[in-house]
Amino acid sequence: MQISDQIDDVLCRHRGLYYNSKNNTLEGELFLPDGDGYSIYMELDLYPRFFPTVYETGGRIPHKMDRHIYPDSGSCCFTTRAKSQVLLKTSIKSLLEFIDEIVVRYFENNSYYEINKKYFSDEYSHGDNGIIEGYKDILGINDTIKAARLILQAAKAPKLKIHQDCYCGSGKRLRKCKNGSHLNQLRQLYLIDKDVLKNDMLAFKDAIDTYMTENQD
């Protein structure tokens, strides 16, 4: 669907927003299903390669990482760049779905925090640890070194090798392990652009250095 048609769908559903063609932004009031609302400014330039950049402009959310706002830019932290690419190529198929499934839930989570002083759903850690957790989530494993090896493989290899042994160490073929779920998860890794994979490898450097030090003979 063309971006212009996607914007029309958003404006039809979310009547508090308007499109600023000069800045290529969606702006205004985003109303939540429970009647709450947030003033937002949404830059569309990165979309659909990455999630649009969204700012909460009402001053309601402090610019702190533990409130999922980047202190340097003031933009909302939804997930990692890698995970946003996977979602955009699998389940988030339009700008309207991004707003309904990601942005609205993000602000609902903040509203919950304002009342309960905690979030109702699990979140990734901040910084490099969050990037690592995002890749482990994509791959369905809890091994940092194995995740790093797979990222390096995906960044260099032109094709996914589905007949190899599974990366989880089960001893099963990849296509048979976990009834094929690990194959599907590895396919998600290959949906991430190689420049993103290579850049995110930097987040694994300290974890790999620690592993190498601990396993020296």
Side-chain angles (χ1 to χ4, degrees):
M1 185 188 298
Q2 296 292 321
I3 298 295
S4 58
D5 293 332
Q6 295 186 42
I7 292 172
D8 288 342
D9 285 348
V10 171
L11 299 180
C12 185
R13 173 77 66 85
H14 297 283
R15 300 302 179 93
L17 300 177
Y18 67 93
Y19 177 63
N20 184 333
S21 58
K22 181 179 179 181
N23 297 330
N24 191 27
T25 54
L26 284 165
E27 305 173 25
E29 194 78 0
L30 177 67
F31 296 106
L32 308 187
D34 65 359
D36 198 359
Y38 287 81
S39 297
I40 68 168
Y41 182 91
M42 182 184 301
E43 297 174 344
L44 304 180
D45 292 344
L46 296 179
Y47 179 80
R49 187 179 182 223
F50 298 108
F51 283 166
T53 305
V54 179
Y55 302 84
E56 188 273 311
T57 57
R60 186 165 163 179
I61 309 177
H63 289 191
K64 301 165 58 178
M65 278 309 301
D66 61 0
R67 296 298 304 275
H68 302 288
I69 296 284
Y70 292 108
D72 54 346
S73 66
S75 61
C76 301
C77 176
F78 298 118
T79 188
T80 65
R81 286 160 59 89
K83 193 67 180 288
S84 76
Q85 286 201 320
V86 171
L87 290 172
L88 286 168
K89 294 176 181 177
T90 54
S91 58
I92 304 295
K93 299 293 187 181
S94 70
L95 194 57
L96 181 59
E97 288 187 1
F98 165 70
I99 293 176
D100 287 346
E101 300 299 326
I102 304 296
V103 182
V104 167
R105 291 186 180 183
Y106 171 91
F107 286 121
E108 286 178 331
N109 208 7
N110 182 73
S111 298
Y112 184 92
Y113 181 93
E114 289 176 343
I115 297 171
N116 300 284
K117 304 306 176 188
K118 64 179 182 179
Y119 293 105
F120 65 75
S121 59
D122 293 334
E123 307 287 341
Y124 294 146
S125 301
H126 311 307
D128 289 348
N129 286 338
I131 293 173
I132 294 172
E133 290 168 9
Y135 279 104
K136 288 179 179 177
D137 186 23
I138 290 170
L139 292 165
I141 59 175
N142 194 34
D143 189 310
T144 300
I145 301 302
K146 287 180 179 175
R149 286 174 178 164
L150 288 165
I151 294 167
L152 189 61
Q153 174 184 312
K156 291 182 175 180
K159 293 183 179 179
L160 172 65
K161 299 176 181 178
I162 64 172
H163 299 297
Q164 64 190 28
D165 290 341
C166 186
Y167 55 81
C168 73
S170 65
K172 298 180 179 178
R173 293 289 188 183
L174 178 59
R175 58 190 173 83
K176 292 185 177 179
C177 191
K178 299 284 185 182
N179 293 319
S181 64
H182 278 180
L183 173 57
N184 291 330
Q185 287 172 296
L186 189 56
R187 281 175 168 152
Q188 290 188 0
L189 181 70
Y190 273 74
L191 294 176
I192 301 167
D193 291 349
K194 287 183 172 49
D195 63 317
V196 175
L197 292 170
K198 291 177 180 177
N199 185 69
D200 286 348
M201 277 298 297
L202 298 174
F204 285 81
K205 183 178 182 305
D206 287 343
I208 293 172
D209 288 346
T210 300
Y211 173 84
M212 296 300 290
T213 300
E214 292 176 350
N215 289 274
Q216 283 181 339
D217 292 334

